[in-house]
Amino acid sequence: MGKQLRLGAFLLGCGHHSAAWRHPDSPVERLGDITYYESLARTAERGKLDAVFCADGHSVREPESGASWFLEPITALTAMARATEHIGLVTTISTTFYTPFHAARLLASLDHISGGRAGWNVVTSMFDQEARNHGLDTMPDHAARYERAGEFVDVALALWDSWSDDAIILDRRGRFADATKIHRIDHEGKNFRVDGPLTVPRSPQGRPVLFQAGASEQGRELAARRAEAIYSVAYDLPSAQSYYADVKARIEHSGRDSSSVAVMPGLVTYIGSTPAEARAKKAELDRMLPTAQSIRQLSLFTGQNCETWDLDAPVPPLPDPELFDGPQGRYATILRIVEKDSPTVRELLGTLAAGGGHATMIGTPRSIADEMESWFVNGGADGFNLMPPTYPHGLEDFVDLVIPILQARGLFRREYEGATLRENLLGPETLNRSESQTSSSMHPKTNNTAYKVHRHITS
Ligand SMILES: Cc1cc2nc3c(=O)[nH]c(=O)nc-3n(CC(O)[C@H](O)[C@H](O)COP(=O)(O)O)c2cc1C
């Protein structure tokens, strides 16, 4: 069996198209109902996906346009753990708003509860509105956020290693645990002071699987040093290839094996029995967008007055990026979408409203499997973070129609290979890390870090 795709489902409200909740069939009334998320996780598990993934944010934005957030993700994933048996459960935790002790404890608990299926999407958060819910006036600047994130992850890793694999004895004559196998970490750094050990004994994976999704220089460096899987953003294959090559080179440069880190770009799919049916699914959602608001946003993103544009005519020619002084990343994405797809204005708004610059594949199950395969074999992706425009239907279509084609081509598993998320995502030969392995393979530069990490034995 050759190399296989890694696939996760990015769970988000009624789907990734921002108008999905307005569709007459949408599950919008169930956003606070845990059985909704449990059934999505079961559908993803029926498709043998590696994981379900929950994003997270700490502020309410534009409540009239849809729910920003609803259930707290670790709480929801804990329920999903009880409703499933094999699938990984990846939560987002912000290194800006949590402390490493809290985060390590929550994740170790999720790993115990799920029998070794927990993952952590390490993010630094973005918005001042979020900062203002946590005692800050504004977000710390980008460099400070990433400096804290790097130290935060190192402390969490040390806390997970503070109990050896064989620390628990459970001898009813009077020895619950072997104190010589439970270590303080005595961390003193710029951002954190943590004695340890963790209050949660070592979990099935030892360390939950680390995911990272930062696109900046510092984000890529953190991913290169620590991530076991990376959520990336690319609209087309050339930009996916350029990100993939860059981040794999950085991983090698930091002394790790880049083939053991899965790069998973986001993927929005519209699936129909004919190309026309697939396009009609997108058009139906695009028509539900509140156009006045989306056009105002597009004017900001392009530096043009878009109010006079005909919604159903092709997007007019746009100026070169050098002549645009707004946010460059978003503008570059718009130029790529226009160049690749020649959309109408309404179609462009719809593409931006679903995933906003993530790969968008519209077609039959076969044509979508072909495109995915082409990204996979041409160095654009090791797998995908699926972002169905609608839940549950978009995920059901993918699982029922696209997965069997990928399986028939030998590109995707028919059964889970291992018991833990790490074994399934990174290969059954991947061991769940124990302390002795971490000192050489995961901490090549431990002694050079800027802060002190001592190990003491509690007695
Ligand atoms: C697929 C994906 C999911 C993300 N999920 C979150 C999230 O849930 N919460 C968050 O604050 N940031 C999220 N981000 C953003 C970041 O991981 C990162 O913090 C942000 O992009 C700023 O870092 P950068 O400047 O390195 O890009 C996500 C990004 C991607 C690509």
Side-chain angles (χ1 to χ4, degrees):
M1 186 64 71
K3 203 176 121 191
Q4 299 208 323
L5 283 163
R6 308 291 159 216
L7 296 175
F10 180 168
L11 305 184
L12 183 76
C14 299
H16 284 267
H17 194 295
S18 64
W21 70 274
R22 301 179 66 190
H23 193 281
D25 291 345
S26 88
V28 66
E29 290 80 9
R30 297 181 65 202
L31 288 182
D33 172 357
I34 192 61
T35 64
Y36 166 60
Y37 303 94
E38 288 172 350
S39 77
L40 294 182
R42 278 197 212 98
T43 304
E45 186 166 81
R46 177 157 61 77
K48 314 291 179 207
L49 301 198
D50 290 277
V52 289
F53 158 56
C54 292
D56 193 26
H58 291 233
S59 63
V60 171
R61 286 175 278 146
E62 301 182 30
E64 286 195 355
S65 324
S68 320
W69 305 106
F70 212 119
L71 298 179
E72 189 286 315
I74 303 171
T75 314
L77 285 163
T78 304
M80 287 182 247
R82 301 287 297 147
T84 54
E85 285 176 47
H86 305 284
I87 196 159
L89 307 150
V90 183
T91 190
T92 295
I93 295 182
S94 166
T95 55
T96 303
F97 303 135
Y98 284 71
T99 71
F101 192 87
H102 271 318
R105 194 155 76 115
L106 288 164
L107 286 159
S109 298
L110 181 60
D111 205 46
H112 275 291
I113 291 166
S114 62
R117 295 185 281 138
W120 171 22
N121 177 37
V122 180
V123 303
T124 60
S125 300
M126 289 172 271
F127 303 115
D128 290 344
Q129 269 185 327
E130 300 179 277
R132 298 186 64 79
N133 287 329
H134 290 282
L136 303 169
D137 289 332
T138 57
M139 285 300 286
D141 71 42
H142 194 263
R145 292 211 297 275
Y146 270 103
E147 185 196 69
R148 178 178 163 109
E151 188 181 340
F152 190 115
V153 171
D154 289 350
V155 173
L157 291 169
L159 284 169
W160 288 323
D161 287 345
S162 64
W163 289 66
S164 301
D165 284 329
D166 54 355
I168 301 261
I169 300 172
L170 303 186
D171 179 346
R172 283 188 164 75
R173 285 171 299 183
R175 279 192 92 203
F176 176 81
D178 179 348
T180 65
K181 295 185 172 165
I182 304 164
H183 312 116
R184 292 165 60 111
I185 67 166
D186 285 340
H187 173 90
E188 276 174 50
K190 190 162 171 195
N191 298 278
F192 306 108
R193 184 241 148 95
V194 186
D195 286 354
L198 193 62
T199 50
V200 184
R202 196 167 184 85
S203 69
Q205 291 186 111
R207 301 162 159 203
V209 180
L210 297 195
F211 289 68
Q212 219 279 327
S216 63
E217 182 69 21
Q218 292 94 330
R220 292 178 193 214
E221 280 304 313
L222 178 62
R225 231 165 35 88
R226 291 293 183 214
E228 296 169 86
I230 296 174
Y231 292 135
S232 60
V233 187
Y235 190 71
D236 53 18
L237 180 55
S239 55
Q241 287 166 322
S242 118
Y243 178 86
Y244 187 97
D246 176 78
V247 82
K248 292 272 174 168
R250 288 173 194 258
I251 295 165
E252 293 286 338
H253 189 70
S254 72
R256 302 169 63 210
D257 172 10
S258 65
S259 69
S260 67
V261 180
V263 176
M264 302 166 71
L267 172 58
V268 181
T269 50
Y270 295 89
I271 305 164
S273 56
T274 61
E277 189 186 305
R279 282 196 299 274
K281 283 191 181 175
K282 177 169 184 291
E284 186 185 16
L285 290 168
D286 292 352
R287 278 196 300 276
M288 292 178 195
L289 280 174
T291 37
Q293 186 189 328
S294 324
I295 281 282
R296 266 201 307 280
Q297 245 187 6
L298 188 63
S299 302
L300 274 178
F301 290 155
T302 57
Q304 308 288 302
N305 177 7
C306 309
E307 317 249 337
T308 56
W309 291 2
D310 176 354
L311 281 174
D312 293 305
V315 176
L318 290 166
D320 283 345
E322 307 86 75
L323 302 172
F324 174 66
D325 61 4
Q328 288 295 327
R330 180 52 63 112
Y331 191 57
T333 302
I334 291 173
L335 293 180
R336 272 184 189 281
I337 297 173
V338 171
E339 189 189 326
K340 177 167 172 275
D341 303 330
S342 315
T344 64
V345 174
R346 197 191 299 274
E347 286 166 346
L348 171 63
L349 294 178
T351 302
L352 291 171
H358 285 276
T360 304
M361 298 181 187
I362 307 168
T364 62
R366 194 159 302 284
S367 76
I368 288 173
D370 290 345
E371 268 193 271
M372 291 174 70
E373 183 170 359
S374 152
W375 283 49
F376 182 55
V377 300
N378 291 304
D382 296 313
F384 295 90
N385 185 26
L386 303 177
M387 301 170 60
T390 62
Y391 275 115
H393 303 300
L395 179 64
E396 288 164 356
D397 286 350
F398 193 92
V399 163
D400 294 332
L401 304 171
V402 182
I403 291 282
I405 298 175
L406 298 172
Q407 288 171 328
R409 294 182 187 178
L411 290 172
F412 194 59
R413 71 167 64 82
R414 290 179 188 275
E415 292 303 332
Y416 288 99
E417 302 87 357
T420 65
L421 170 58
R422 182 171 287 107
E423 288 164 358
N424 286 317
L425 188 75
L426 304 174
E429 68 287 353
T430 313
L431 292 171
N432 294 308
R433 295 193 170 86
S434 72
E435 228 171 336
S436 52
Q437 289 166 301
T438 56
S439 50
S440 55
S441 63
M442 285 292 285
H443 290 302
K445 294 183 187 139
T446 299
N447 297 332
N448 301 336
T449 45
Y451 43 80
K452 292 190 285 179
V453 180
H454 308 291
R455 279 238 160 91
H456 286 257
I457 294 179
T458 49
S459 54

